[in-house]
């Protein structure tokens, strides 16, 4: 439950500002987790497509780190306190930790397909939720979602066959997706 702030941006009540900040805290947790997961994959990818995937991930890491910074600063602008500690990510997340260690590029990309799906789906839900009360935050999240969807396409292009089918289409976990992709 969102706490009432002593102030927020003009045009919003303190209660609404606190509610939007609480929604953004979930995005902050997701983006911090995602950029660490992307870096983990970057360090642990092996195999014939190593260098292309290794180099593809660094710009994604930097962009997602930027998203986290933008979200944290928006939380502060709304009069709340952004929580960016590892403990916050772990205690407040609704997803499991990334479970793939050293693996081939295609296996990591298979697992990453599911990671991006989860982050994008929840970001879109947050866009709907804030869209009715804070168009500035909605606009920020829309721009971030567009970038995430582009990065997801980069990943999925490696997993798609010439008929347009994804190798991970029926995967229910990261491990399952990695196996299906590999």
């Amino acid at each position: 439950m969102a706490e009432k702030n002593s102030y927020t941006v003009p045009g919003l009540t303190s209660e609404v500002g606190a509610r939007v900040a609480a929604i953004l805290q979930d995005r902050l947790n997701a983006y911090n987790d995602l950029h660490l997961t992307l870096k983990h994959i970057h360090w642990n990818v092996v195999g014939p497509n190593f260098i292309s995937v290794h180099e593809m991930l660094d710009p994604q890491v930097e962009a997602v780190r930027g998203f986290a910074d933008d979200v944290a600063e928006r939380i502060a602008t709304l009069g709340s306190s952004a929580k960016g500690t590892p403990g916050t990510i772990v205690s407040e997340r609704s997803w499991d930790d990334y479970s793939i260690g050293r693996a081939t590029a295609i296996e990591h990309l298979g697992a990453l397909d599911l990671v991006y799906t989860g982050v994008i789906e929840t970001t879109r839900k947050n866009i709907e939720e804030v869209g009715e009360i804070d168009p500035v935050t909605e606009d920020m999240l829309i721009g971030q979602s567009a970038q995430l969807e582009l990065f997801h396409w980069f990943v999925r292009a490696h997993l798609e066959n010439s008929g347009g089918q994804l190798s991970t289409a029926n995967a229910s976990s990261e491990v399952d997706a990695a196996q299906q992709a590999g």
Side-chain angles (χ1 to χ4, degrees):
M1 187 79 180
E3 294 182 19
K4 183 179 176 184
N5 296 339
S6 61
Y7 71 92
T8 194
V9 297
L12 296 182
T13 66
S14 293
E15 292 84 4
V16 170
R19 181 170 159 225
V20 172
I23 292 166
L24 288 175
Q25 182 62 52
D26 183 63
R27 288 303 81 217
L28 180 57
N29 295 340
Y31 294 158
N32 279 333
D33 186 84
L34 179 58
H35 81 70
L36 291 169
T37 297
L38 289 166
K39 205 60 179 173
H40 168 84
I41 294 167
H42 169 89
W43 294 323
N44 287 289
V45 66
V46 297
N49 297 320
F50 156 78
I51 198 64
S52 63
V53 172
H54 183 80
E55 290 181 353
M56 176 183 77
L57 293 177
D58 272 334
Q60 294 180 30
V61 169
E62 291 308 310
V64 175
R65 280 182 180 156
F67 298 166
D69 191 51
D70 291 344
V71 165
E73 290 175 356
R74 183 68 182 159
I75 291 169
T77 301
L78 290 164
S80 292
S81 178
K83 297 177 281 183
T85 63
T88 299
I89 297 170
V90 172
S91 68
E92 295 184 5
R93 69 182 177 196
S94 59
W95 57 90
D96 293 328
D97 204 19
Y98 188 77
S99 59
I100 310 298
R102 189 172 197 80
T104 66
I106 200 70
E107 289 170 320
H108 273 299
L109 292 173
L112 188 54
D113 177 33
L114 267 63
V115 171
Y116 267 125
T117 295
V119 173
I120 291 166
E121 284 176 350
T122 54
T123 301
R124 284 178 160 270
K125 287 177 187 171
N126 293 150
I127 289 167
E128 284 183 39
E129 197 170 351
V130 301
E132 299 190 19
I133 55 176
D134 184 12
V136 174
T137 297
E138 177 190 36
D139 184 58
M140 179 184 69
L141 292 176
I142 288 170
Q144 292 169 349
S145 183
Q147 280 296 127
L148 291 169
E149 290 173 13
L150 178 67
F151 297 154
H152 194 202
W153 172 59
F154 292 168
V155 169
R156 284 185 158 183
H158 293 269
L159 304 170
E160 184 180 3
N161 67 23
S162 61
Q165 302 299 312
L166 290 175
S167 60
T168 54
N170 298 316
S172 59
S173 70
E174 291 167 2
V175 171
D176 190 28
Q179 290 171 347
Q180 287 182 25

